[in-house]
Amino acid sequence: MGGASGSAPSPHMRPDGPTMAAPEESLRRRKTGYSDPEPESLPAPGRDPAGSPAHLHAGTFWLTRIVLLKALAFVYFVAFLVAFHQNKQLIGDRGLLPCRVFLKNFQQYFQDKTNWEVFSYMPTILWLMDWSDMNSTLDLLALLGLGISSFVLITGCANVLLMAALWGLYMSLVNVGHVWYSFGWESQLLETGFLGIFLCPLWTLSRLPQHTPTSRIVLWGFRWLIFRIMLGAGLIKIRGDRCWRDLTCMDFHYETQPVPNPVAYYLHHSPWWFHRFETLSNHFIELLVPFFLFLGRRACIIHGVLQILFQAILIISGNLSFLNWLTMVPSLACFDDAALGFLFSSGPGSLKDRVLQMQSEIQGARPKPRFGSVVRRAANFSLGVLLAWLSVPVVLNLLSSRQVMNTHFNSLHIVNTYGAFGSITKERTEVILQGTASPNASAPDAVWEDYEFKCKPGDPSRRPCLISPYHYRLDWLMWFAAFQTYEHNDWILHLAGKLLASDAEALSLLAHNPFAGRPPPRWVRGEHYRYKFSRPGGRHAAEGKWWVRKRIGAYFPPLSLEELRPYFRDRGWPLPQPL
């Protein structure tokens, strides 16, 4: 007879349900000593049957997201710390370039536009805030950024709202920061931070949000970012300074970079063949390695390792702000959970253990679609379309023989073009600010005393500083000012006026005030010097000098506070009041 109801009972089944072994199987088990395992002898979650830690499978990115968020939060923390310590002196109420003046000038220029049009041209939440006490407002933005980034850095937890707040706060500062925020890494942080928003769930604050897996579109957004950063830097070098093509740029770079560190002193004196090797290695990392991203998982991981090692070398050899730390962030998207598992402990209930359980669940029954996951996929797809559309001018720029670097094509700084050191200066020049108490600046007996900055070269006997990832914005701008004129950098005359008044805010940006505890100087001038590293073992090095300098001439003539009064008034700058 057919059918289940008429089939003979299996010898392995009892009528009341539980499975029982066949007699032959029971006899075999008694002979071999084998018995069914007790529940407590089953392997623990995250461990194989032998009891050793199980290995994570490739292809998921739960741990990758945690590492990415922590790394991005660290860079945000440094950036907001710099802002908190320096914004008041640079763009505050009585800053060197007050952002209130900048906002008013911008508002006046676009006075025929609606508020929304003005905001879209220069998005910043400062449009919505009170300008009467800009110092407090700037501090508030920086402190909010510090608080949120600290939370994400410590916990590894973030959601869309927190990451969007970090991005919006920093964009608000960048867009009113004038030349102090004009560096390429500002746009790079904003683009990286924008991608970071889409890494996270909307509301949940969980390191492993089970229903919000890391989007492959977002991961490829990070990979596309590091691809453009490195390839753009490589192409601008090949198309720019000839020394990159004849492999001699590294003969000059360590000495002439914006803010050298002690390691740069010794690297500068390396043999010529070592500098040629450095340049060739640079071309390999920036022009060839980026294409590893598209050659499969193993090549992608090799790309990530090489890029992180390359950035670590750059960190060791120079003070390039948080640029190299930031460039490591998108490289982390090259690693999946299996590659990053060694960073996490394997104990029961650990993050690694929980990821292994989720991987096992993914391999089982396919979960039913959730409304939230559908919305998220739509948002990620829209992000992919947006990135592709905004990448068109960036790709055209990369292909152009007139490639420009460190440029953004939209006010939100979402997809930008990057590059670094397209040309190398062959000589290092420095502007040294000096003051004198003499009533006559032209008197032969006038004693001029040097102001010292916190990090840029000044006193030849002072050891180069080591500050990365922190950043002294004024020191960096002084490097640019040295191969331009003071007419291109009117803020330097504002600084001179503040030194004439012994302004406490401006002096906090400097390392040494020769007139501390004394009346302010009557005159301040700028002197132009050529700087070279001393030779190890040579006479100057034996005297304790890291640098040898020679005067070129005057950068700007001696100025008094009274002479600067009309200059300040024309620009809307508050006149410093002498102490």
Side-chain angles (χ1 to χ4, degrees):
M1 297 176 63
S5 61
S7 58
S10 168
H12 291 245
M13 296 294 295
R14 290 193 319 190
D16 55 351
T19 304
M20 61 183 297
E24 298 82 9
E25 181 67 14
S26 299
L27 179 62
R28 184 188 67 78
R29 293 188 181 191
R30 285 197 296 270
K31 288 181 179 179
T32 58
Y34 178 85
S35 61
D36 289 328
E38 296 295 328
E40 58 268 22
S41 66
L42 292 173
R47 293 182 174 268
D48 61 22
S52 59
H55 295 289
L56 293 169
H57 304 297
T60 63
F61 298 88
W62 303 96
L63 300 179
T64 304
R65 170 164 51 194
I66 295 173
V67 176
L68 268 168
L69 286 174
K70 280 178 167 281
L72 180 55
F74 171 75
V75 179
Y76 265 131
F77 179 84
V78 174
F80 282 113
L81 185 66
V82 172
F84 180 67
H85 285 162
Q86 301 177 35
N87 272 354
K88 293 185 291 295
Q89 301 91 318
L90 299 176
I91 60 175
D93 291 314
R94 304 183 66 83
L96 295 177
L97 291 173
C99 67
R100 183 196 290 116
V101 175
F102 179 65
L103 287 167
K104 287 181 177 178
N105 290 341
F106 191 90
Q107 199 174 40
Q108 185 175 3
Y109 183 78
F110 289 97
Q111 59 185 351
D112 58 333
K113 305 290 184 181
T114 64
N115 290 338
W116 171 248
E117 287 177 308
V118 173
F119 183 86
S120 63
Y121 274 112
M122 191 176 70
T124 172
I125 61 175
L126 288 176
W127 290 121
L128 310 174
M129 303 181 76
D130 182 21
W131 297 355
S132 62
D133 186 0
M134 194 62 80
N135 284 358
S136 298
T137 300
L138 293 171
D139 277 352
L140 175 62
L141 299 186
L143 287 172
L144 284 172
L146 282 171
I148 298 173
S149 58
S150 298
F151 173 80
V152 178
L153 176 61
I154 293 170
T155 66
C157 302
N159 57 27
V160 167
L161 299 182
L162 291 181
M163 298 307 294
L166 286 173
W167 179 71
L169 288 168
Y170 200 67
M171 181 174 60
S172 295
L173 295 177
V174 169
N175 283 335
V176 300
H178 214 270
V179 296
W180 312 110
Y181 283 82
S182 61
F183 311 113
W185 55 78
E186 314 295 357
S187 291
Q188 187 176 327
L189 177 52
L190 289 175
E191 180 172 352
T192 310
F194 181 78
L195 292 172
I197 297 172
F198 292 84
L199 272 176
C200 309
L202 179 59
W203 302 104
T204 307
L205 281 176
S206 170
R207 285 182 289 180
L208 295 175
Q210 185 174 0
H211 301 295
T212 313
T214 309
S215 167
R216 298 299 180 95
I217 293 177
V218 178
L219 288 170
W220 274 105
F222 280 110
R223 294 174 186 177
W224 175 231
L225 171 58
I226 188 62
F227 177 84
R228 287 182 286 112
I229 290 171
M230 302 314 298
L231 188 62
L235 290 176
I236 200 70
K237 291 180 175 66
I238 292 298
R239 292 167 174 160
D241 203 318
R242 180 178 177 181
C243 71
W244 287 113
R245 298 189 293 276
D246 61 25
L247 309 182
T248 59
C249 272
M250 298 307 292
D251 294 345
F252 312 99
H253 167 71
Y254 293 116
E255 184 177 71
T256 61
Q257 65 179 310
V259 185
N261 67 12
V263 178
Y265 174 84
Y266 296 102
L267 287 173
H268 174 71
H269 295 290
S270 301
W272 67 269
W273 56 264
F274 182 75
H275 290 317
R276 304 300 179 272
F277 170 74
E278 287 180 304
T279 312
L280 278 173
S281 299
N282 184 93
H283 293 331
F284 173 70
I285 292 292
E286 293 184 343
L287 292 171
L288 294 179
V289 171
F291 292 94
F292 288 14
L293 287 166
F294 311 106
L295 302 179
R297 176 179 179 269
R298 185 171 297 179
C300 189
I301 290 175
I302 292 173
H303 170 277
V305 171
L306 291 176
Q307 295 297 358
I308 289 174
L309 289 175
F310 181 54
Q311 298 306 318
I313 292 170
L314 296 179
I315 289 169
I316 293 170
S317 63
N319 292 303
L320 298 176
S321 181
F322 49 79
L323 171 63
N324 307 118
W325 303 80
L326 175 61
T327 306
M328 289 183 182
V329 175
S331 297
L332 295 171
C334 298
F335 305 99
D336 57 17
D337 291 339
L340 293 177
F342 74 96
L343 296 174
F344 297 83
S345 64
S346 302
S350 65
L351 289 173
K352 188 174 179 181
D353 183 54
R354 291 166 58 193
V355 168
L356 192 61
Q357 293 181 45
M358 287 192 291
Q359 288 183 337
S360 301
E361 293 172 4
I362 291 172
Q363 291 177 348
R366 190 170 184 177
K368 295 181 180 179
R370 299 162 56 93
F371 175 75
S373 63
V374 173
V375 173
R376 184 172 180 81
R377 286 174 188 170
N380 289 331
F381 178 77
S382 301
L383 172 66
V385 172
L386 176 65
L387 294 179
W389 173 254
L390 294 178
S391 294
V392 171
V394 175
V395 172
L396 293 177
N397 178 68
L398 284 175
L399 298 176
S400 172
S401 59
R402 298 183 178 181
Q403 176 192 0
V404 295
M405 62 181 187
N406 299 328
T407 300
H408 59 274
F409 296 97
N410 56 83
S411 59
L412 296 179
H413 302 257
I414 295 177
V415 180
N416 315 292
T417 181
Y418 302 102
F421 296 105
S423 61
I424 296 291
T425 52
K426 309 304 187 293
E427 283 187 346
R428 179 176 202 92
T429 58
E430 292 287 347
V431 177
I432 305 300
L433 300 182
Q434 300 175 332
T436 182
S438 173
N440 184 359
S442 303
D445 59 347
V447 178
W448 291 91
E449 300 176 77
D450 292 0
Y451 289 90
E452 285 292 332
F453 287 74
K454 292 197 172 182
C455 216
K456 89 173 192 69
D459 179 1
S461 299
R462 192 177 67 166
R463 186 185 68 178
C465 69
L466 184 62
I467 57 163
S468 179
Y470 196 77
H471 177 41
Y472 291 116
R473 297 188 181 277
L474 177 59
D475 291 52
W476 196 283
L477 262 294
M478 290 295 292
W479 179 74
F480 283 101
F483 49 83
Q484 298 172 336
T485 65
Y486 71 88
E487 288 90 351
H488 294 99
N489 302 275
D490 55 357
W491 53 265
I492 201 169
L493 297 187
H494 198 174
L495 176 60
K498 287 179 172 294
L499 298 182
L500 286 164
S502 287
D503 181 81
E505 277 191 356
L507 289 171
S508 69
L509 297 172
L510 306 184
H512 173 65
N513 171 23
F515 296 90
R518 298 158 49 191
R522 296 191 179 186
W523 302 88
V524 167
R525 70 182 183 184
E527 291 288 278
H528 215 177
Y529 281 86
R530 181 179 295 110
Y531 273 67
K532 292 184 68 67
F533 275 136
S534 64
R535 183 170 54 85
R539 176 173 61 87
H540 295 95
E543 295 172 354
K545 294 182 178 179
W546 293 77
W547 297 96
V548 178
R549 74 180 187 181
K550 181 179 180 181
R551 184 178 182 273
I552 300 173
Y555 185 78
F556 63 81
L559 298 170
S560 67
L561 194 56
E562 190 61 32
E563 289 176 314
L564 289 173
R565 189 180 298 274
Y567 191 82
F568 280 36
R569 185 170 53 249
D570 291 344
R571 285 159 177 76
W573 297 341
L575 187 71
Q577 299 300 320
L579 295 178

